[in-house]
């Protein structure tokens, strides 16, 4: 660990300091967990408990008992460890960041950033003269120095603290959480750049790390060039390591150590010349390739140490900086004043931005409080202010107290935002038919092994018509815990393979799913994140799906059918537990849910097994005289009802893909064929008022499809007149060979005259009669079937009792 070299008075106390750090970290982690047992029921983030634990540990006087040498300030003890924690955690944040989702909010985040920073800068410049007596040495070298440092201190935001709290509260998948995190990171980068520019000006004449201001400017430019070269080399180096470990779940231990050492070395380029390395580490994480075993290895290696050890000590160190023996009104008053100034500046800026963006004022006030979190970032400004002789010693302690106050205040606000977002998601309708096809769609999919993974991944690719704007897609893989080699092995349990590099390593089911995910990620440009979970029965799996649904907050949840296609075309049930899982999830699904009956052995035409860019089906060759881009023909079956309308909305999203040709197939009774042409009309009543005839939702769905797709030649429309359920069955079976995918509604709310008598085909209630007829067809010409259900339950809580499987109707 690199320690602070500027004006350090620590000599030959490395062992004492290391023992102190280890002891305090252990006590803070244990005490923080104990305090959080009482606070987590109020939805407060663990950072609040860890800061309180740090205050308690700091008051024990362990520092004076262990380190028997005079230390200038607490920064000398904790500064190096805090800076290293920020480098690795911001690299982890950048690697975990959903770049596409953040890019979709770039306009709002930019407006909030500029508004909050501008108001804080103006407010700090206005009040800097009044802060002269309490915050500066006398005589002061230049009043401009005070104004500049005060502006940076009030405008800054602790991006590490905000990112950690938002991630822990599962807000990074919500629009509000993404906006706050993006604004915090942008604000922190602006202030870091401002601090670096200010330290290189002639006003800042103090030599930092034995470099004068002009020398630091040149070295800073040189470090930026080094970082640029490292980022350019990142892609080919990671690609080379991925090729070396092709077919493996993770890379070797020595490769992992070299990669983490490179991250540490590159992130410290700016810090060696006195600048902050946080933006560099964040850039490394954002530029790091997400596919392949390298990214999985680094994520797995960093996740537990950061969340369990590094971050608790990071927040605890904030409380341990507090010196109770020096507390007085001369410290508390400036601390409260600085906190109030930050709140006023941030809230004023966010409310102005919210008024422009038409966001509720209450949300803007909450955002302002969250963006006022200071954390450890003010310690950076403290070093500069102390070296330049701007602030008195009591002002440094006031900054510590103000940072803790702003961070603790943010805890309850995060809890309010969490409850608000949770209620909004659970109470909203979450229907695809209410969304435009171009609107952002978050997706969560489940797979049970490598057999059904290609079909599910191919469907996800078709649903994401714009890969650059598609948020990260999460794929839950339920591996068989009863098999010895099914689960991914952790580093401390894994024995290095002694086989040759060219030997077959794709033995584990998880690794085979990794292989499929990597192929689709490289071919499509989508970001797919695989989550490995043990298959421990329908009840435990349903809880896993619920937990990840709350984390991801998807617009659609995709599940595999419990039957798999045999090579002769028949559908075979492998495990009955999978059927029970589908029933449990469908009964409490908080969003649109769909079950995919994959048929990979389709004999004619395209099957959903390969990315569209590398598909080599004969169907694509047969369409060369028409549209050469069309390789997949999809049908949307429509009888009526909310589930069928949801199926049509999902099919319309698929039609946005250039490689898809959609056909809308509607079933109507022969005597009612002409009646379906009705439209909404207006007629004056006796009093001269105009009365509006409300159109049937099914008719409105058909009319909208005609207007947006058929009239613009983006899809085809076919109407099948039937006299009863047997005609429906014959028409459905006649689709074999024509379509690679058939999308249908689950049913249960369809017109009775079309489905009465089909109960005999309803062997599996989770797909309904129409889905069962299509999915159970033994023909090798029948394509895959996607059965869609619109949201039916108002909530999806973890504490709800497990529902029993629905009886077959």
């Amino acid at each position: 660990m690199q320690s602070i070299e500027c004006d350090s008075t620590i000599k030959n106390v490395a062992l004492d300091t290391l023992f102190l750090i280890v002891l305090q970290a252990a006590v803070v982690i244990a005490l923080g967990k104990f305090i959080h047992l009482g606070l987590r029921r109020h939805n407060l983030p663990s950072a609040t408990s860890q800061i309180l634990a740090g205050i308690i540990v700091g008051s024990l006087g362990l520092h004076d008992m262990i380190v028997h040498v005079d230390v200038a300030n607490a920064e000398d003890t904790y500064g190096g460890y805090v800076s290293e924690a920020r480098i690795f955690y911001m690299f982890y944040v950048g690697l975990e960041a959903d770049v596409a989702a953040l890019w979709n909010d770039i306009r709002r985040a930019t407006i909030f950033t500029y508004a909050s920073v501008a108001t804080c800068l103006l407010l700090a410049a206005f009040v800097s003269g009044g802060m002269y007596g309490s915050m500066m040495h006398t005589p002061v070298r230049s009043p401009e120095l005070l104004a500049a440092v005060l502006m940076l201190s009030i405008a800054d935001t602790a991006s590490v603290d905000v990112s950690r709290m938002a991630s822990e509260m599962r807000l990074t998948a919500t629009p509000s959480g993404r906006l706050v995190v993006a604004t915090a990171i942008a604000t922190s980068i602006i202030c870091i750049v401002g601090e670096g520019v200010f330290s290189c000006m002639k006003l800042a004449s103090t030599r930092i790390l034995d470099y004068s201001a002009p020398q630091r400017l040149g070295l800073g430019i040189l470090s930026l060039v080094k970082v640029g070269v490292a980022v350019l080399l990142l892609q080919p180096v990671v690609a080379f390591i991925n090729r070396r470990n092709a077919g493996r779940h993770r890379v070797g231990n020595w490769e992992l150590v070299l990669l983490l050492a490179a991250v540490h070395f590159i992130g410290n380029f700016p810090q060696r010349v006195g600048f902050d390395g946080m933006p560099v580490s964040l850039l490394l994480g954002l530029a790091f390739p997400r596919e392949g075993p390298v990214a999985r290895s680094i994520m797995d290696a960093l996740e537990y140490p950061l969340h369990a050890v590094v971050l608790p000590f990071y927040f605890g160190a904030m409380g341990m900086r507090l010196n109770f023996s020096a507390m007085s009104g001369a410290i508390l008053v400036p601390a409260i004043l600085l906190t109030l100034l930050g709140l006023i500046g941030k809230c004023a800026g966010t409310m102005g931005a919210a008024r422009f963006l038409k966001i509720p004022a209450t949300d803007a006030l909450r955002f302002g409080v969250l963006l006022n979190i200071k954390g450890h970032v003010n310690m950076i400004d403290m070093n500069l202010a102390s070296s330049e002789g701007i602030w008195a010693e009591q002002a440094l302690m006031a900054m510590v107290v103000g940072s803790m106050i702003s961070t603790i205040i943010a805890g309850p606000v995060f809890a309010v935002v969490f409850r608000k977002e949770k209620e909004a998601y659970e109470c909203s309708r979450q229907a695809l038919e209410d969304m435009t096809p171009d609107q952002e769609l978050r997706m969560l999919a489940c797979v049970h092994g490598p057999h059904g993974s290609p079909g599910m991944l191919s469907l996800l690719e078709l649903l994401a018509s714009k890969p650059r704007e598609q948020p990260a897609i999460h794929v839950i893989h339920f591996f068989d815990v009863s098999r010895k080699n099914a689960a991914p092995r952790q580093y401390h349990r894994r024995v290095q393979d002694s086989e040759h590099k060219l030997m077959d390593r794709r033995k584990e089911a998880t690794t085979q799913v990794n292989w499929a995910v990597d192929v689709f990620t490289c071919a499509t440009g989508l970001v797919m994140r695989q989550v490995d979970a043990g298959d421990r029965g329908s009840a435990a799996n349903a809880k896993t799906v619920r937990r990840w649904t709350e984390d991801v907050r998807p617009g659609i949840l995709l599940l595999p059918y419990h039957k798999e296609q045999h090579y002769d075309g028949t559908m075979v049930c492998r495990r009955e537990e999978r059927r029970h899982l589908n029933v449990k999830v469908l009964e409490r699904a908080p969003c649109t849910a769909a079950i995919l009956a994959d048929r990979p052995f389709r004999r004619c035409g395209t099957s959903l097994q390969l990315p569209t860019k590398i598909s080599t089906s004969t169907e694509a060759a047969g369409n060369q005289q028409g549209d050469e881009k069309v390789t997949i023909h999809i049908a949307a079956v429509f009888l009526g009802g909310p589930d069928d309308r949801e199926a049509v909305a999902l099919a319309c999203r698929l039609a946005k893909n250039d490689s898809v040709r959609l056909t809308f197939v509607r079933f109507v009774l022969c005597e009612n064929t002409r009646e379906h042409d009705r439209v909404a009309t207006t007629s004056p009543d006796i009093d001269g008022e105009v009365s509006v005839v409300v159109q049937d939702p099914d008719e409105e769905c058909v009319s909208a499809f005609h207007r947006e797709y058929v009239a613009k030649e983006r899809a085809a429309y076919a109407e099948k007149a039937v006299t009863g359920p047997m005609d429906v069955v014959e028409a459905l079976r006649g689709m074999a060979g024509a379509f690679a995918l058939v999308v249908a509604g689950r049913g249960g709310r369809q017109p009775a005259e079309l489905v009465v008598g089909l109960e005999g085909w309803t062997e599996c209630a989770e797909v309904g009669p129409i889905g069962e007829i299509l999915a159970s067809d033994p023909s090798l010409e029948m394509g895959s079937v996607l059965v869609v259900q619109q949201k039916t339950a108002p909530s999806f809580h973890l504490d709800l009792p497990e529902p029993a499987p629905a009886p077959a109707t």
Side-chain angles (χ1 to χ4, degrees):
M1 296 291 182
Q2 180 182 0
S3 60
I4 300 298
E5 300 178 10
C6 176
D7 297 332
S8 177
T9 59
I10 301 180
K11 302 292 184 181
N12 301 323
V13 291
L15 293 179
D16 288 349
T17 304
L18 180 61
F19 178 71
L20 172 68
I21 294 296
V22 173
L23 178 61
Q24 288 182 330
V27 177
V28 165
I29 292 172
L31 187 59
K33 288 182 178 294
F34 178 77
I35 297 175
H36 194 57
L37 292 176
L39 297 182
R40 67 180 180 182
R41 67 184 64 182
H42 303 291
N43 296 322
L44 292 176
S46 61
T48 303
S49 305
Q50 291 154 5
I51 292 175
L52 296 177
I55 294 175
I56 296 175
V57 172
S59 63
L60 298 178
L62 297 176
H63 185 279
D64 296 334
M65 291 187 294
I66 297 176
V67 181
H68 303 289
V69 178
D70 183 27
V71 180
N73 54 59
E75 182 68 23
D76 294 330
T77 305
Y78 306 119
Y81 302 95
V82 167
S83 63
E84 293 296 333
R86 294 177 74 238
I87 286 177
F88 278 103
Y89 184 70
M90 290 312 296
F91 171 75
Y92 180 83
V93 168
L95 186 59
E96 194 184 33
D98 193 346
V99 179
L102 292 176
W103 184 257
N104 293 339
D105 283 337
I106 187 67
R107 176 176 175 270
R108 297 196 308 162
T110 302
I111 294 174
F112 265 85
T113 301
Y114 286 142
S116 60
V117 171
T119 52
C120 289
L121 294 180
L122 292 175
L123 180 63
F126 179 75
V127 302
S128 61
M131 302 288 291
Y132 180 89
S134 59
M135 303 298 290
M136 294 189 303
H137 288 298
T138 54
V140 67
R141 185 158 54 86
S142 173
E144 291 82 1
L145 292 173
L146 172 66
V149 175
L150 192 62
M151 290 164 67
L152 291 174
S153 301
I154 294 179
D156 209 347
T157 301
S159 55
V160 174
D161 304 53
V162 175
S163 301
R164 171 55 183 161
M165 292 183 183
S167 176
E168 182 185 3
M169 302 298 290
R170 296 175 292 190
L171 294 174
T172 52
T174 65
S176 299
R178 292 203 307 257
L179 177 61
V180 171
V181 172
T183 304
I185 292 176
T187 302
S188 181
I189 292 176
I190 289 175
C191 292
I192 288 174
V193 173
E195 188 268 340
V197 172
F198 172 71
S199 63
C200 294
M201 296 173 61
K202 291 183 178 180
L203 275 174
S205 58
T206 303
R207 298 177 64 88
I208 300 177
L209 297 179
D210 295 329
Y211 298 120
S212 62
Q215 290 175 332
R216 293 184 67 217
L217 178 61
L219 292 175
I221 296 175
L222 180 60
S223 65
L224 289 178
V225 173
K226 293 179 180 178
V227 170
V229 174
V231 172
L232 291 177
L233 294 176
L234 187 63
Q235 186 80 23
V237 170
V238 173
F240 172 75
I241 299 177
N242 280 332
R243 288 193 300 269
R244 280 178 52 88
N245 295 271
R248 283 186 172 181
H249 184 68
R250 297 184 178 93
V251 299
N253 288 340
W254 68 271
E255 292 172 318
L256 177 65
V257 172
L258 288 178
L259 288 170
L260 293 179
V263 171
H264 170 266
F265 182 73
I266 298 172
N268 275 297
F269 277 163
Q271 293 195 177
R272 293 190 182 92
V273 292
F275 297 103
D276 195 339
M278 189 277 287
V280 173
S281 58
L282 178 65
L283 177 62
L284 280 177
L286 292 174
F288 205 91
R290 265 71 169 174
E291 70 278 357
V294 173
R296 284 192 298 269
S297 302
I298 292 182
M299 291 285 288
D300 292 344
L302 290 179
E303 183 177 11
Y304 181 79
L306 285 175
H307 292 163
V309 180
V310 176
L311 289 177
F313 181 74
Y314 176 87
F315 289 107
M318 193 185 308
M320 288 187 288
R321 294 177 188 272
L322 193 60
N323 186 2
F324 285 95
S325 61
M327 294 296 293
S328 64
I331 293 177
L332 291 178
V333 172
I336 296 174
L337 182 59
L338 287 172
T339 304
L340 291 177
L341 287 176
L343 284 174
I344 294 173
K346 295 291 186 180
C347 292
T350 54
M351 290 189 67
R355 183 178 180 85
F356 177 76
L357 295 172
K358 298 181 180 179
I359 296 176
T362 54
D363 291 346
L365 288 174
R366 298 188 190 103
F367 296 162
V369 176
L370 299 181
L371 293 175
N372 191 47
I373 298 176
K374 303 302 181 184
H376 285 281
V377 295
N378 274 348
M379 311 308 167
I380 302 171
D381 300 328
M382 285 168 51
N383 291 335
L384 178 63
S386 178
S387 63
E388 294 293 335
I390 300 173
W391 291 346
E393 190 68 26
Q394 62 187 17
L396 303 180
M397 185 57 63
M399 293 293 294
V400 174
V401 176
S403 299
M404 286 189 295
I405 292 175
S406 63
T407 307
I408 293 176
I409 289 176
V413 178
F414 264 115
V416 173
V417 175
F418 169 75
R419 288 192 293 267
K420 178 178 177 295
E421 292 291 341
K422 183 178 181 180
E423 292 174 358
Y425 179 74
E426 293 176 347
C427 298
S428 61
R429 190 160 177 256
Q430 292 292 335
L432 295 181
E433 66 171 324
D434 297 335
M435 302 168 59
T436 62
D438 295 328
Q439 192 171 343
E440 176 184 294
L441 178 64
R442 303 187 67 88
M443 293 181 280
L444 175 64
C446 302
V447 295
H448 292 289
H451 179 79
S453 298
M456 184 65 74
L457 297 176
S458 180
L459 177 61
L460 293 172
E461 179 204 359
L462 296 177
L463 283 171
S465 57
K466 298 179 180 179
R468 292 185 178 180
E469 300 178 6
Q470 174 62 43
I473 302 171
H474 290 74
V475 180
I476 304 177
H477 171 224
F478 292 105
F479 59 86
D480 190 358
V481 294
S482 62
R483 295 178 58 186
K484 181 178 179 181
N485 293 327
R489 290 168 289 177
Q490 301 296 327
Y491 276 99
H492 63 281
R493 297 179 179 178
R494 183 162 67 91
V495 179
Q496 291 292 329
D497 295 333
S498 59
E499 300 173 334
H500 190 268
K501 294 289 184 181
L502 299 179
M503 296 293 288
D504 183 20
R505 305 166 187 157
R506 297 189 291 268
K507 297 179 181 179
E508 302 175 358
T510 300
T511 305
Q512 295 180 30
V513 177
N514 291 150
W515 184 270
V517 171
D518 292 342
V519 169
F520 274 84
T521 300
C522 296
T524 63
L526 296 172
V527 177
M528 297 184 182
R529 296 177 178 171
Q530 178 182 336
V531 180
D532 299 315
D535 188 354
R536 305 182 185 277
S538 60
N541 294 347
K543 289 183 178 180
T544 301
V545 174
R546 294 173 189 178
R547 184 174 66 252
W548 278 99
T549 303
E550 292 182 349
D551 290 348
V552 179
R553 301 178 189 268
I556 184 171
L557 174 62
L558 298 170
L559 303 167
Y561 195 38
H562 70 280
K563 293 183 179 180
E564 297 178 357
Q565 188 182 28
H566 201 253
Y567 67 90
D568 60 356
T570 58
M571 301 296 289
V572 181
C573 178
R574 300 295 185 187
R575 294 183 61 179
E576 191 67 21
E577 285 289 332
R578 297 178 182 177
R579 176 186 176 184
H580 297 161
L581 170 64
N582 292 343
V583 173
K584 291 175 185 291
V585 172
L586 288 177
E587 287 183 354
R588 294 290 182 178
C591 60
T592 298
I595 295 180
L596 174 64
D598 187 26
R599 303 174 67 93
F601 298 108
R602 185 175 182 237
R603 187 164 55 189
C604 62
T606 304
S607 60
L608 302 180
Q609 297 299 307
L610 292 174
T612 55
K613 292 183 179 180
I614 59 177
S615 178
T616 57
S617 66
T618 58
E619 187 175 352
N623 290 326
Q624 289 181 356
Q625 296 179 355
D627 189 355
E628 296 183 0
K629 293 183 179 181
V630 176
T631 60
I632 301 175
H633 287 263
I634 296 177
V637 176
F638 185 85
L639 280 76
D643 288 346
D644 283 21
R645 294 196 300 271
E646 196 75 356
V648 171
L650 180 60
C652 290
R653 282 189 171 269
L654 294 171
K656 287 290 184 179
N657 200 299
D658 294 335
S659 61
V660 171
R661 178 65 176 177
L662 175 63
T663 301
F664 186 111
V665 182
R666 187 183 189 189
F667 291 85
V668 296
L669 291 175
C670 291
E671 59 270 18
N672 295 334
T673 302
R674 297 184 180 274
E675 296 181 6
H676 290 293
D677 295 331
R678 296 173 298 177
V679 294
T681 59
T682 59
S683 59
D685 57 14
I686 300 176
D687 299 330
E689 297 181 356
V690 176
S691 60
V692 179
V693 180
V694 180
Q695 190 178 15
D696 181 72
D698 294 340
E699 298 298 331
E700 185 178 354
C701 175
V702 176
S703 300
F705 185 83
H706 272 282
R707 182 174 59 255
E708 297 295 332
Y709 291 90
V710 179
K712 298 178 181 179
E713 298 183 352
R714 296 160 60 185
Y717 177 82
E719 193 171 274
K720 294 185 179 294
V722 296
T723 58
M726 296 307 299
D727 292 344
V728 175
V729 175
E730 289 297 326
L732 291 174
R733 290 178 174 174
M735 291 183 177
F739 304 102
L741 177 67
V742 180
V743 185
R746 182 186 181 190
R749 295 173 283 181
Q750 295 166 327
E753 60 271 15
L754 291 176
V755 296
V756 64
L758 297 180
E759 293 83 359
W761 281 272
T762 316
E763 178 186 351
C764 303
E766 67 271 22
V767 294
I770 304 300
E772 178 66 21
I773 293 170
L774 293 168
S776 62
D777 192 305
S779 172
L780 285 173
E781 283 77 19
M782 177 62 73
S784 300
V785 180
L786 184 65
V787 182
V788 184
Q789 173 192 278
Q790 196 178 77
K791 177 184 176 180
T792 57
S795 62
F796 195 29
H797 296 289
L798 282 173
D799 54 354
L800 289 173
E802 291 297 324
T809 57

